[in-house]
Structures are given as C-alpha cells and as structure tokens.
Amino acid sequence: TPSSLPTTTQWVDVYPKQPHRIDADSQLSLEASARSGQGDVKGGTATWQTDIGSIDAGGLFSPDLAGVAKIEAIVNGVPGEMNLQVTAGTPVSLKISPLSAQITVDDNISFNASLQDGMGNEVEGATLTWHSDNGYVDSNGNYTPIGVGDDVVTVLWQSLYDSADIAVSAGVAANISFGENLTVAAGQQLPLVFTVTDRAGNPLPNQAAGAINCVSEDGYVDSIVVFTGDAVGSWRINATSTSGAVGHT
C-alpha cells in the first residue's frame, strides 16, 4: 500500500528528460528532483558530475567533446542519471593536410581537410570546395597536376580556408621525338637528332630515356642513333628505350 512505501528519497529525476541533445557551443540548465517511494518531492541539494565537459553547482552543463555525456545528480545520497548527446558545434577552423608536397607530373596526391568547432571537435557532413591554381582537384581533395611548376591547392568552407603548396617536377621519359622530313642519300649516313619529354610534353635530358634502340623499315640505325640509307624511298623508323619512352619518324 502507498502508506507502507518508504518516505525517504528513493530516486532522482534529472530534467529535461532524455532524449535530448545539444551542440558543443551551447549550454544546458539541468534540474534534479528527488522523490520518495511514495512519489512525493523531497528536498535536498543536488551534487552534479559529468564525464564530458563540466557542470556547476547550479546544474549548468557546459560541453566540450562531442559524444554522449553521462550526467549524474546526487540528492540525499541517491543518484539520478541522464545521457545527453553532444554534437559538434559551428566550424571555426579548417585545416588541410599535407601542407606541402613534392610530386612529378605523373603522380596524383590526395589532400585531407579537417573542419573543427571551437572545442576541436570534427565537424562532419559539411560540403567543402576545392580549388587548384594550375592543376585539377576533385570534390574529395584528389589532386592531378597538369604541368611542371609550383601550384597551390585551397580548400574552402564559407569564410574559412586553408592552402597547401605543391612543387611539380617533370615525370619519367615517355616520348622520343625526331625531326620531320629527314632526307639522306642512299649509302650515306644521317645522325638522328631527337628530344625526350614526359607524358605532358615537358623536356627531359636525352639520358632520361636510357638506351635507345631504333628499327628502320629499310636501311640501318646503329647504337648511337645514326641512320645509314640503303634503298630509295620513304621509310619509317621506330624508336624504343629502356625507360619505356617511344617515338618514330
């Protein structure tokens, strides 16, 4: 019967009742109500504690880290608990990583961006804008160079931004180019002058191609790339190299 129930404090309610959530920029005033076994309100001062952020003697909760805060109020020696979801607050900083990179025109690199609130919590789900001065960067921060030189990749969210410096150098040898409309008399020799470039057309030292082997439809090309004419006609010369660079004339 109600009269047989304890009149001392048996449980403590914490208000506002869960589920409840706030962001890390906000505060929340909490109240504790002690009740007897008969459901009557009991007096007493609450002692507050939390495992995330802080809470003062008056029950004002100030979060810091995002997560689930376990808040406890103890009245007359009896605890009452609530779980409070804390989400990240408004972004106040945006950081890019890495801050610098050295790559070749053959390479790609992925940049990461961290958007954080005033407490250092990661803010997820925000749409970031990426920009490159002299290359291409997609919506996920994946960067592809276009040419040799210095570049800057910038990530933006509203008024926040951060930038990374990139130094792009030439890639590996890919192309062997000869002069056009070459002529030589039958039985005579012609040194084949060539240039070497990477896939983007950036010039490289001829040595970057490694050893070059030329095969002609007619005539003969020796190891130092000198052509000896034989039959009269127009003949294609194909060049390959130990670096993988190729070309023809």
Side-chain angles (χ1 to χ4, degrees), residues 29-246:
S29 292
L30 300 171
E31 297 180 358
S33 176
R35 293 185 179 272
S36 69
Q38 299 177 359
D40 299 325
V41 176
K42 304 295 290 186
T45 301
T47 301
W48 295 92
Q49 58 188 34
T50 178
D51 62 347
I52 291 179
S54 62
I55 188 167
D56 66 16
L60 181 62
F61 173 67
S62 301
D64 50 15
L65 301 179
V68 178
K70 180 181 178 181
I71 297 174
E72 186 176 66
I74 302 173
V75 183
N76 302 327
V78 177
E81 296 180 353
M82 74 171 295
N83 292 323
L84 181 62
Q85 180 71 46
V86 179
T87 59
T90 301
V92 297
S93 69
L94 179 58
K95 300 296 182 183
I96 193 173
S97 64
L99 286 173
S100 62
Q102 294 182 342
I103 62 174
T104 74
V105 75
D106 297 327
D107 300 326
N108 299 315
I109 186 172
S110 294
F111 288 92
N112 296 310
S114 174
L115 195 61
Q116 296 182 342
D117 66 13
M119 295 295 180
N121 296 302
E122 192 85 11
V123 180
E124 299 180 352
T127 300
L128 304 177
T129 300
W130 294 86
H131 172 75
S132 168
D133 290 347
N134 300 306
Y136 171 74
V137 58
D138 66 17
S139 59
N140 295 314
N142 300 311
Y143 171 80
T144 301
I146 293 177
V148 170
D150 294 331
D151 199 359
V152 177
V153 169
T154 302
V155 60
L156 307 96
W157 183 83
Q158 295 187 5
S159 62
L160 302 176
Y161 67 92
D162 198 15
S163 299
D165 296 320
I166 308 174
V168 182
S169 57
V172 298
N175 305 307
I176 301 171
S177 300
F178 298 92
E180 298 181 356
N181 301 318
L182 302 178
T183 59
V184 64
Q188 299 299 306
Q189 291 186 321
L190 175 69
L192 299 177
V193 178
F194 63 92
T195 58
V196 177
T197 60
D198 64 17
R199 65 173 180 82
N202 299 297
L204 296 169
N206 285 355
Q207 296 89 331
I212 294 179
N213 179 57
C214 293
V215 177
S216 176
E217 293 178 323
D218 191 81
Y220 172 73
V221 183
D222 63 21
S223 61
I224 58 174
V225 198
V226 173
F227 173 74
T228 301
D230 187 8
V232 174
S234 296
W235 311 112
R236 179 184 174 105
I237 300 173
N238 294 311
T240 58
S241 69
T242 53
S243 71
V246 296

Side-chain angles (χ1 to χ4, degrees), residues 17-41:
K17 283 288 190 177
Q18 57 186 346
H20 199 88
R21 70 170 57 203
I22 63 172
D23 63 47
D25 297 332
S26 305
Q27 294 178 310
L28 181 65
S29 292
L30 300 171
E31 297 180 358
S33 176
R35 293 185 179 272
S36 69
Q38 299 177 359
D40 299 325
V41 176

